[in-house]
Amino acid sequence: MKVLIGRPSLRPYLSYQQRTAAHREGLSAHFLGTSSVLLSDGQTSVLSDGFVTRPGMLRVGMGKIAPNRALVRSAIERLRVDTLAAVVCAHSHYDHALDAPVWALETGAELVGSESTANIGRGLGVPESSLRVVGDGDTVTYGSFTLTFLDSVHSPGDHYPGTVDQPLIPPARAGAWKTGTAHSVLVTHPNGRVLLQASANYRPGALRGHHADVVYLGVGTLGKQPAEFVHTYWDEVVAATGAKRVILVHWDDFFLGLDRPLRPMPYLLDDLDTTMSRLLPLARRDGVDVVLPVSWQTSAPLAGLA
């Protein structure tokens, strides 16, 4: 019997853990937990979310939170991010947008997302020249990367719906970081196409006609959803884009720091075992690789797909 304060073990899924890339030729990626992914081709880098502060559950539930600039600077140094073109927020909850303005301030990157994301940036002093508000179907280019933003839907059970309508100055309660607009972000590069799908939900038909080689597939709370929902989510995101590799994101306990190996969410909040038991048969049906990423490790998400 599962104990709610317990959590799944990663041991049954060791065979799915990503392999370390021996070098950074082509397109490389680093996973920073939740849905934070740094993509680089050696000339240009783009980052989704960049959430590294990861305040504990008690502070999130009962106190006020703020980005930890020292942790962001440490991540920049550890990843050797010499230049960052853009930091893109999938939506504006704190586990996506808390640290994003600090990355922009520290690196000179543009902060890209909804008007809610822009207001989070304004609250931390990101200049207007470094804010880019995007809508459904908008495309932006950085070096050899082209990013297309498609409106999506937050995973079921959104705790902080709504929009951020004025500059958000931290510290503040976690609920101040409201959803804003949720985006699916299609990243096109000469080496291949990558879809960043941070939230485990879909807008029916939104991704049809859009091809992706790899999907960074958000699975947060998927273990609490009916099997029919999981199957439809897979079909609307993975099957619809024709992806041949799925890299699972937003499965880890983001109340724990990145100074230790990632652990799944407790059963009280999610159930990675149930998620895997439903996704793996779908992956086998469609001939799709499933990868469980490792934090900080250099990976080559498109390797072997040519």
Side-chain angles (χ1 to χ4, degrees), residues 186-240:
L186 183 61
V187 181
T188 304
H189 189 274
N191 288 348
R193 296 165 70 90
V194 174
L195 176 67
L196 304 174
Q197 183 74 18
S199 293
N201 210 337
Y202 59 91
R203 190 160 58 95
L207 293 172
R208 291 172 195 161
H210 295 281
H211 171 71
D213 300 297
V214 173
V215 176
Y216 280 88
L217 187 71
V219 296
T221 73
L222 208 58
K224 298 291 188 179
Q225 307 307 323
E228 295 80 4
F229 178 90
V230 177
H231 291 187
T232 305
Y233 176 53
W234 177 276
D235 288 341
E236 287 281 351
V237 177
V238 180

Side-chain angles (χ1 to χ4, degrees), residues 67 69 87 89 91-92 96-105 109-133 164-170 176-177:
R69 287 178 176 260
V87 53
C89 289
H91 57 267
S92 299
H96 299 267
L98 179 70
D99 295 325
V102 180
W103 285 86
L105 290 169
E110 281 196 328
L111 177 60
V112 188
S114 68
E115 185 65 31
S116 292
T117 294
N119 274 325
I120 293 167
R122 291 180 182 113
L124 280 169
V126 177
E128 290 294 324
S129 60
S130 294
L131 298 174
R132 185 185 290 261
V133 175
V164 182
D165 298 323
Q166 58 187 9
L168 198 170
I169 302 174
W177 281 263

